Amino acid sequence: AAAGGATMATYDCDAPVRSLVAVGGSDATMFAAGTQTIRGGNAVHIVSHDRDRDVARCAAVLTHPDGEIWSMDARCSDGGCGGVRDVIATAFDGVDGTSRGGGVAIWRLPPSLDPRGDPTRGDLARVGTIRSSDLSSDLSSDDPGIPRCVRWSPADPAVLAVVADSFLAIVRVDAQGAPDPKPIARGVHPGVPSPSCASFHPDEPHVVAACVAGPDVHVHDARAGLDRPSQTIRGAHALQVRGVEYDPGAAGARLSTCGDDGATRTWDVRASVTKPVTWGGDAGVRDGHAHWAWCVAHNPEYPDRLLASSGGDGAVRLWRTDGGCGGG
């Protein structure tokens, strides 16, 4: 794999970070990082990039009262794609919160987050909650499991996909962020390992990249059926793939991944023989994560230039990619 020559900045969340997503508007380069610790006190950290000093800073620490955050995604509050990404969805286990059994919560970020000022501290503003039991109320399984992954559809921001241990559900969320607890579509996968990560193609609502269990990444096209992938990146990582995200500015040509080997990579999915650029974690590539790399996210305002990764070492790393990706 080719090595990336990125300039990197690091912010320490002081807890494992399993979920990461870009937030804010065009005037800021911010990411929301969700912690996952069994000791409680989980929170969403808003990490910003100070372009003048090229350092990572904390803009806010917002308490998440519903337990460990397994996954997180963000969208604009007006339902559009060009505004401020200030509505987030979290998949949680409810261990140290009030919603036992896990579920999905919708939150509103504070209206004024100054990436250059002192950190804002407080609670997330809850908009609505869907319990896992509500999404699986008529399933035969006594234990549907907790949600592991949530993703907004880029083609329709009112649609949210929820992946749990035994089912996949699609729910509709109104413009203000309030969810309808009755899913508009649902599929059951009993006995099958649930996907650890997924990402919709930025321009094709039928195409999704996902990893179930292992080192491979599979790209599915629903128009051809979901039984078999239309493309597979084999051995994307030496161990389990934990995070996958399409570059929103590359028309589906680039896909970034991270995994248990601590590496973060970007792939050219158009190539018949895919070779990635590795930003960290391989031999000869410095500054990979010291523990599992759990999540990867592109900033929507600088999609081909700024990439973030987070992991079990509690670090959020910002990578200056400058449009780099693997060739065929």
Side-chain angles (χ1 to χ4, degrees), residues 109 137 142 247 267 315:
L109 295 178
S137 58
D142 294 331
D247 182 341
W267 308 80

Side-chain angles (χ1 to χ4, degrees), residues 91 103-104 130 132 135 146-151 160-164 167-171 185-187 189:
V104 175
I130 310 175
S132 182
L135 292 172
I146 66 173
R148 305 290 183 177
C149 182
V150 287
R151 289 294 179 265
L160 180 71
V162 182
V163 181
F167 67 88
L168 165 66
I170 298 177
V171 298
R186 186 181 57 200
H189 48 253

Side-chain angles (χ1 to χ4, degrees), residues 8 13 32 40 60-61 67 106-107 128 133 152 171 179 193 213 215 233 236 280 285 289 299 305 315 317:
M8 188 190 66
C13 292
V61 178
I106 313 296
W107 313 89
S133 58
W152 297 106
V171 298
I233 302 175
V285 181
H289 286 276
N299 186 276
R305 296 185 179 183
R317 302 193 185 279

Side-chain angles (χ1 to χ4, degrees), residues 125-273:
R126 189 188 301 270
V127 177
T129 302
I130 310 175
R131 293 179 300 171
S132 182
S133 58
D134 294 333
L135 292 172
S136 60
S137 58
D138 57 345
L139 294 180
S140 58
S141 174
D142 294 331
D143 183 15
I146 66 173
R148 305 290 183 177
C149 182
V150 287
R151 289 294 179 265
W152 297 106
S153 166
D156 185 351
V159 171
L160 180 71
V162 182
V163 181
D165 290 333
S166 63
F167 67 88
L168 165 66
I170 298 177
V171 298
R172 182 163 292 278
V173 180
D174 66 26
Q176 300 303 314
D180 183 347
K182 184 178 181 180
I184 59 178
R186 186 181 57 200
V188 182
H189 48 253
V192 178
S194 59
S196 60
C197 52
S199 176
F200 283 104
H201 188 290
D203 303 320
E204 296 287 346
H206 308 285
V207 178
V208 61
C211 177
V212 177
D216 302 335
V217 174
H218 305 285
V219 179
H220 295 270
D221 190 329
R223 294 167 293 188
L226 298 177
D227 293 334
R228 296 183 179 180
S230 58
Q231 181 183 10
T232 296
I233 302 175
R234 298 196 180 280
H237 289 267
L239 302 170
Q240 171 73 45
V241 177
R242 295 290 179 179
V244 56
E245 184 171 281
Y246 277 101
D247 182 341
R254 288 194 292 269
L255 185 71
S256 292
T257 63
C258 64
D260 284 358
D261 53 6
T264 302
R265 298 191 172 112
T266 300
W267 308 80
D268 184 346
V269 297
R270 301 167 299 180
S272 58
V273 180

Side-chain angles (χ1 to χ4, degrees), residues 33-125:
T35 65
Q36 187 189 53
T37 171
I38 60 175
R39 68 173 183 262
N42 287 284
V44 172
H45 296 244
I46 307 300
V47 182
S48 67
H49 181 228
D50 188 328
R51 284 168 285 185
D52 296 332
R53 300 180 180 179
D54 200 19
V55 297
R57 299 186 56 189
C58 177
V61 178
L62 306 171
T63 301
H64 182 270
D66 289 339
E68 298 174 317
I69 304 172
W70 281 85
S71 178
M72 184 166 54
D73 204 5
R75 53 155 256 200
C76 302
S77 56
D78 61 3
C81 298
V84 177
R85 291 161 60 94
D86 57 354
V87 173
I88 63 173
T90 60
F92 61 86
D93 63 4
V95 170
D96 62 329
T98 58
S99 300
R100 300 292 176 178
V104 175
I106 313 296
W107 313 89
R108 181 73 58 83
L109 295 178
S112 56
L113 287 174
D114 184 1
R116 297 177 179 84
D118 294 331
T120 298
R121 296 185 180 273
D123 298 328
L124 287 164

